[in-house]
Amino acid sequence: MEIEDLSRIPQNFAELAGAAGDRLMIGDACSGQLLDEFKERFFSRWTLSVPLYDPAESIKSMKKDARGGWYGTNKRKVAREQKQELLDNCDLDTFPSRSDKAIAVAPGHLRGLPTRLPFYERREGAPFDMLSNPQVKLNEPLRVLHTSKDGVWYFVETGYSNGWLERRDVALVDAAFIDSWMQSAPLVIVRDYQPVADGRGIGIFPAKIGTILPLGQAGNGWWEVRVASAGEGGKAETRTSRIPRDAAAPFPLPFNKEKVALLGDQMLGQPYGWGESYALRDCSALLRDFFLPFGIWIPRTSADQIASVRQRLQLAALAPPEKEELIKRKSLPFLTLLYKPGHIMLYAGEDREGRPLVFHSAWSIRIKEGEGERTQVVGTSAITTLEPGKELGLVPGGSLLERATELTTITDRCKVSR
């Protein structure tokens, strides 16, 4: 049974973006400040020498993952010997052993331990792979901090996360390479999963919205972009690839109704992907990729995203009717984040009955069943009210409205008026 919101509420951005009118804008000064912040964070693994994350905490996290009582793909407990082998392969006695600037030469997936295998908390725990960290986009700046004992994996940092990445997806960069790339005019992918060739005639990678590629030259109906490739000794080489003109645009995009609809409509109706597994998106990845083409940096996890703006409204103590009115009064369409513990949403305006709408990617809701309750899978990105599934009988206190605790607006990060 499908929740009513998915059929009752038009699943398109154009109408809501158009209804936002002048509220859907960011002033030039604020846009410039947000872009400066974006560049600082995006290139930080090339420009800053110190780790973003405490190595001691990284070691603690790996040891914790190796001690967990996980289930594998066969729905059996992962053997203690298998977990110990993974921990041994981390070679933590020498961690971190290096600090080398690098770049992603393919979309890759950060992992909590050096393995592709998923680890689940429960026998029926899919899709929640607890080793799944964010996906790394093609051409993303990295810092290599360590090599696994078998040499297959690198432990890397991005500007927003860290974890194990397969070595084949990484190439080392030098000062000349970095200068060339940072000074180039950037394009950003605006067609989701756009195929981008590696320039060697070997591989073609699906580039998600938000992938940034240096511009080589522009032609009639095409862009020539620069892509990084691993050459001799694992060092980065620059190659070129052509993509259709409408697959990318000069970075950053202007924040207006046309561009908001262009990106948002492609992201609607996509399957939920915990930790970006299978190159999909969960709630925080959805919002991060939505804002990225506009030159707006937000962190990776939902808790960090809401905390990225110091000025926040506290909602937890309010009754649902008061909370709903405050959300409507204080929110800006497609710029305001709404948070409940473990989940982040983007305010999208109001429906015809005047109820707040949000854009988010949700796995499930809890509904009443007899004397108990059950899980109703949503499993998609959608525009909904703050009470999706209400008609099915939500458990008491289980609606997004009741559980929302904080609200903030991205432009409140600016020191100048939006």
Side-chain angles (χ1 to χ4, degrees):
M1 183 182 299
E2 195 75 274
I3 63 171
E4 189 176 276
D5 278 3
L6 298 185
S7 57
R8 186 186 65 82
I9 298 169
Q11 296 297 304
N12 71 75
F13 267 63
E15 180 179 336
L16 290 168
D22 293 341
R23 301 172 73 201
L24 190 67
M25 63 170 289
I26 303 175
D28 290 344
C30 185
S31 290
Q33 183 176 327
L34 291 170
L35 181 59
D36 288 344
E37 180 187 29
F38 180 93
K39 291 178 179 177
E40 179 183 343
R41 299 292 185 90
F42 184 75
F43 290 115
S44 64
R45 296 303 69 220
W46 288 352
T47 58
L48 300 177
S49 59
V50 296
L52 288 181
Y53 303 92
D54 183 357
E57 290 299 316
S58 297
I59 291 173
K60 185 186 299 183
S61 177
M62 285 181 263
K63 288 182 176 180
K64 181 180 178 181
D65 284 342
R67 288 196 301 264
W70 310 117
Y71 289 87
T73 56
N74 58 358
K75 300 186 179 182
R76 296 171 64 89
K77 282 276 191 178
V78 177
R80 181 182 302 174
E81 294 77 12
Q82 181 181 350
K83 292 182 290 185
Q84 186 60 49
E85 285 178 10
L86 292 173
L87 188 61
D88 290 345
N89 198 28
C90 294
D91 199 14
L92 294 183
D93 288 343
T94 63
F95 183 93
S97 58
R98 56 193 297 183
S99 181
D100 296 317
K101 299 169 185 178
I103 192 169
V105 297
H109 214 111
L110 296 173
R111 305 288 294 161
L113 292 171
T115 177
R116 291 186 184 182
L117 294 174
F119 282 8
Y120 303 118
E121 285 188 322
R122 297 177 291 107
R123 183 172 280 109
E124 304 295 337
F128 300 103
D129 173 10
M130 304 312 292
L131 296 186
S132 184
N133 290 344
Q135 189 180 36
V136 173
K137 290 180 172 60
L138 174 68
N139 277 12
E140 198 163 331
L142 306 171
R143 181 66 68 107
V144 177
L145 297 182
H146 198 57
T147 308
S148 62
K149 189 173 291 185
D150 63 9
V152 175
W153 298 80
Y154 281 153
F155 190 91
V156 306
E157 285 189 336
T158 68
Y160 53 85
S161 191
N162 63 4
W164 292 98
L165 190 63
E166 290 186 88
R167 183 173 181 167
R168 66 181 186 183
D169 296 334
V170 179
L172 304 180
V173 298
D174 57 22
F177 182 97
I178 291 172
D179 288 344
S180 173
W181 280 57
M182 290 185 68
Q183 293 171 14
S184 297
L187 296 178
V188 63
I189 293 293
V190 297
R191 179 187 292 165
D192 218 9
Y193 303 106
Q194 168 62 38
V196 177
D198 65 1
R200 303 172 63 187
I202 299 174
I204 298 178
F205 306 114
K208 294 167 79 171
I209 285 174
T211 300
I212 294 177
L213 304 168
L215 172 62
Q217 59 179 316
N220 184 19
W222 50 265
W223 301 106
E224 184 179 87
V225 296
R226 297 160 66 188
V227 293
S229 177
E232 186 175 352
K235 296 181 179 179
E237 299 176 346
T238 298
R239 299 181 183 271
T240 59
S241 178
R242 286 189 180 182
I243 58 176
R245 192 69 176 247
D246 60 355
F251 174 81
L253 300 183
F255 196 84
N256 59 37
K257 63 182 181 181
E258 291 82 11
K259 301 307 182 187
V260 164
L262 170 68
L263 302 180
D265 281 338
Q266 293 180 73
M267 294 181 176
L268 277 170
Q270 292 187 348
Y272 176 89
W274 166 264
E276 295 188 81
S277 53
Y278 310 108
L280 299 172
R281 297 179 176 97
D282 56 17
C283 62
S284 54
L286 181 76
L287 298 197
R288 191 167 193 280
D289 282 359
F290 173 79
F291 282 115
L292 202 158
F294 299 112
I296 299 173
W297 180 273
I298 59 173
R300 177 56 185 87
T301 67
S302 59
D304 287 343
Q305 287 179 354
I306 196 70
S308 68
V309 185
R310 186 171 299 176
Q311 184 178 337
R312 304 189 296 277
L313 292 177
Q314 302 302 313
L315 306 175
L318 300 178
E322 296 176 290
K323 192 182 296 187
E324 185 174 61
E325 286 304 312
L326 183 65
I327 291 169
K328 290 162 60 176
R329 190 170 71 251
K330 294 293 187 179
S331 297
L332 292 173
F334 305 109
L335 286 170
T336 293
L337 307 179
L338 189 61
Y339 175 76
K340 78 171 185 68
H343 191 60
I344 195 84
M345 300 160 278
L346 183 64
Y347 177 77
E350 299 176 16
D351 68 6
R352 292 182 177 89
E353 286 75 44
R355 292 178 294 183
L357 298 176
V358 289
F359 172 50
H360 59 137
S361 186
W363 175 245
S364 65
I365 55 175
R366 301 294 294 171
I367 62 174
K368 294 180 291 187
E369 185 172 67
E371 297 298 317
E373 61 182 64
R374 69 176 178 86
T375 297
Q376 172 74 27
V377 172
V378 179
T380 190
S381 54
I383 297 168
T384 73
T385 66
L386 289 170
E387 298 177 299
K390 182 178 181 179
E391 73 283 355
L392 301 177
L394 294 170
V395 298
S399 73
L400 297 175
L401 179 62
E402 291 168 298
R403 298 178 67 189
T405 59
E406 291 184 278
L407 175 153
T408 193
T409 298
I410 291 293
T411 47
D412 287 342
R413 293 217 305 251
C414 295
K415 299 175 183 177
V416 295
S417 172
R418 65 175 291 273

